[in-house]
Amino acid sequence: MTQELHTLGVAELAALLDAREVSSVELTRHLLARVAAHDALGAFLAVDEEVALAQAAAADLWRDRGIHGAGHRLLGVPIAHKDIFVTRDFPSTAGSKMLEGYRSPFDATVVSRLAAAGAVTLGKLNCDEFAMGGSNENSAWRPARNPWDPARIPGGSSGGSAVAVAARLVPAATGTDTGGSVRQPASLTGITGIKPTYGRCSRYGMIAFASSLDQAGPMARSALDCAHLLQAMSGFDPRDATSAEQPVPDFVAETTALRPGATPERPLAGLRIGLPAEFFGEGVSAGVLSAVRAALARLEQLGATLVEVSLPRTELSIPVYYIIAPAEASSNLSRYDGVRYGHRARVYQDLESMYRASRSEGFGAEVKRRIMIGTYVLSHGYYDAYYLQAQKLRRMIADDFQAAFAQCDLMAGPVAPTVARPIGSQHDPVAEYLADIFTLPASLAGLPGLSVPAGFGEDGMPVGLQLIGNYWQEGALLHAGHALQQVTDWHRQAPPL
Ligand code: GLN
């Protein structure tokens, strides 16, 4: 029995725990041993057996006393958090030397909500420094490795989360997505991940990158498991001024319930899926394209209708995002001054040189690049030419989505133009930015996006299908993803470890 525990998902483990077929302590021990055995994948930055086992013992006690209910659906289920979320019980570094050894005096809201739902935390997961990147190579600590081929990137910035879930070290993990960081690593490692509507999950305690874009999201092996986590993670938080006072539906029910006009054989009957022409053009690899088309064919068999739509400013989302995100980052990262917390240089002459030395030593190359770009586009004389223009285009990109949603209920396309590349094979930052083309539009518009496994492309590496919904339509995305996962087994494929 314990031999297979790691192959089970969130809902299955919760059922086993409820049936007392396994205790949370046994399950936690089993997964901690797996985490240790696969340390070379670089998924985790911090693990604390004592903390995890104490949480697991507490969960077992709660269950024994019969004091858990509907709000504690994750009671005793082990998960792990991207190191962008601050935590009291574990160090929080954001993948940066700047925060080496930093301990937060409080938990992020997403972390405390998952704990309140009963989840047990095994540790903190690797990521690109301050979530800037799409490969995990920007982690100051170590790269994370794709379990399908450890010589390749797992994607990023939530790379450690994707690796941990894909390698069956944890059934689910948290990630964050500013311009694709939940969806793209999910796609490159063959797991499921959803970036909710901006404002759905609290950003309180999420180390800020670009505040108008940052969103937390769950990563798991199925759409249904993502629904279980999202349920706990969502909801208004007075501590985040941009958190929305939007009712949280029953995501699990929305994921599984039959919709009006649908039948069990054709659960997606009546659903119009728009295919943005710009998502199927040049630049998408043949393997990715054929996997995505095969997944779309399955959605059609499930009753969905495919319609062609257009998002004419898709290409512009790259310059727009790479102006707005660095602009916000340059402001957010000004707090790392070596005074209040974080790294401080040992050698300096005066205050000014202390700032300079601390920031030069603490930040990595990509973070410095973005601080410089951001400072430049916000500077007097350039603000109107870059930042203001980008804000106007951002609005137009959001309007394009609304025009397209007049013709469809969801949109679909690839998540990333290619499968995962080898670690160390990309030295051109602009080329790396271009690969974000399919995830940036929904981010700029604040729309929810789901990545679900769609089989395999070049060299047998995983490919993800992206589904984009209108505001607050996470349930509809998860429903379509779940329907697909009822008739396909791409999401059940495990990497050969
Ligand atoms: N790859 C994008 C970037 O480098 C997105 C990162 C993210 O979503 N955090 O900014």
Side-chain angles (χ1 to χ4, degrees):
M1 153 65 90
T2 52
Q3 252 37 58
E4 295 141 34
L5 285 173
H6 55 272
T7 65
L8 303 176
V10 172
E12 294 160 322
L13 289 172
L16 272 194
L17 286 162
D18 270 339
R20 315 288 163 112
E21 286 184 35
V22 68
S23 70
S24 179
V25 167
E26 287 170 311
L27 175 58
T28 300
R29 274 192 208 289
H30 176 74
L31 293 180
L32 284 169
R34 241 184 112 71
V35 168
H38 295 288
D39 183 61
L41 290 173
F44 279 79
L45 294 180
V47 183
D48 192 323
E49 307 211 347
E50 216 173 296
V51 166
L53 288 169
Q55 291 180 4
D60 286 336
L61 200 67
W62 273 58
R63 185 167 263 113
D64 280 345
R65 300 212 172 146
I67 37 180
H68 79 288
H72 308 112
R73 273 195 272 209
L74 303 175
L75 188 64
V77 176
I79 60 166
H81 295 295
K82 183 177 185 181
D83 205 24
I84 285 286
F85 294 93
V86 299
T87 45
R88 254 188 324 210
D89 291 337
F90 302 87
S92 303
T93 73
S96 181
K97 264 201 271 183
M98 190 52 111
L99 285 172
E100 179 163 22
Y102 173 67
R103 282 267 175 169
S104 167
F106 65 95
D107 281 332
T109 297
V110 160
V111 170
S112 58
R113 285 192 175 163
L114 284 163
V120 169
T121 304
L122 296 193
K124 302 295 287 292
L125 297 160
N126 206 350
C127 56
D128 284 304
E129 185 175 8
F130 289 104
M132 298 177 191
S135 70
N136 224 289
E137 293 164 302
N138 299 339
S139 166
W141 310 116
R142 52 178 179 165
R145 298 178 176 280
N146 195 315
W148 291 93
D149 175 358
R152 298 191 193 228
I153 61 163
S157 63
S158 313
S161 309
V163 173
V165 173
R168 275 71 180 156
L169 309 184
V170 281
T174 54
T176 63
D177 191 312
T178 302
S181 280
V182 162
R183 291 161 285 163
Q184 183 258 23
S187 168
L188 300 191
T189 58
I191 65 164
T192 305
I194 184 166
K195 179 199 92 80
T197 309
Y198 182 80
R200 179 65 95 183
C201 296
S202 170
R203 289 184 299 107
Y204 182 71
M206 249 169 69
I207 294 173
F209 164 12
S211 305
S212 76
L213 294 153
D214 297 343
Q215 242 326 267
M219 301 168 78
R221 292 191 293 263
S222 69
L224 184 57
D225 283 356
C226 283
H228 280 284
L229 262 80
L230 187 60
Q231 196 72 50
M233 293 164 68
S234 299
F236 175 68
D237 178 5
R239 292 194 180 103
D240 169 7
T242 59
S243 127
E245 281 189 73
Q246 183 74 16
V248 178
D250 184 337
F251 286 122
V252 174
E254 292 204 344
T255 300
T256 52
L258 206 57
R259 308 232 149 180
T263 63
E265 296 72 41
R266 292 172 64 79
L268 302 183
L271 185 74
R272 297 166 305 163
I273 298 181
L275 309 182
E278 296 78 4
F279 281 42
F280 292 85
E282 57 174 316
V284 185
S285 80
V288 169
L289 207 56
S290 69
V292 165
R293 293 225 187 270
L296 291 171
R298 303 309 292 262
L299 292 170
E300 245 182 327
Q301 286 163 11
L302 292 168
T305 318
L306 306 181
V307 295
E308 189 163 310
V309 297
S310 177
L311 295 172
R313 273 165 279 242
T314 295
E315 256 180 36
L316 286 175
S317 63
I318 296 167
V320 168
Y321 172 89
Y322 280 99
I323 287 169
I324 292 174
E328 294 184 15
S330 70
S331 159
N332 273 326
L333 271 58
S334 66
R335 72 190 60 167
Y336 305 104
D337 57 5
V339 177
R340 285 166 290 181
Y341 49 76
H343 175 78
R344 180 183 300 178
R346 290 235 213 120
V347 183
Y348 52 87
Q349 288 78 45
D350 51 17
L351 184 66
E352 175 95 21
S353 76
M354 190 275 282
Y355 287 154
R356 191 179 309 120
S358 300
R359 288 168 67 83
S360 302
E361 293 169 13
F363 291 134
E366 183 61 26
V367 172
K368 287 178 188 163
R369 179 179 297 123
R370 297 200 191 195
I371 291 173
M372 287 189 282
I373 294 171
T375 309
Y376 180 82
V377 299
L378 289 176
S379 61
H380 182 72
Y382 292 107
Y383 180 94
D384 289 354
Y386 295 111
Y387 186 71
L388 199 63
Q389 285 297 104
Q391 292 289 25
K392 289 179 183 167
L393 283 165
R394 181 179 187 176
R395 157 60 55 195
M396 292 165 93
I397 289 166
D399 290 346
D400 287 346
F401 271 106
Q402 292 315 306
F405 276 128
Q407 294 158 259
C408 61
D409 306 300
L410 305 178
M411 286 177 221
V415 177
T418 63
V419 298
R421 61 170 172 79
I423 292 172
S425 63
Q426 180 58 274
H427 303 287
D428 175 1
V430 174
E432 184 79 346
Y433 299 166
L434 294 178
D436 293 337
I437 184 159
F438 302 131
T439 49
L440 298 179
S443 295
L444 289 166
L447 294 166
L450 174 75
S451 175
V452 283
F456 300 86
E458 284 82 1
D459 305 319
M461 296 301 290
V463 174
L465 171 77
Q466 181 174 209
L467 294 172
I468 300 171
N470 215 335
Y471 299 108
W472 315 114
Q473 294 301 304
E474 294 88 355
L477 293 177
L478 293 166
H479 178 75
H482 178 69
L484 183 68
Q485 293 178 339
Q486 297 309 102
V487 296
T488 57
D489 67 356
W490 295 315
H491 65 295
R492 289 204 188 84
Q493 306 301 316
L497 283 177

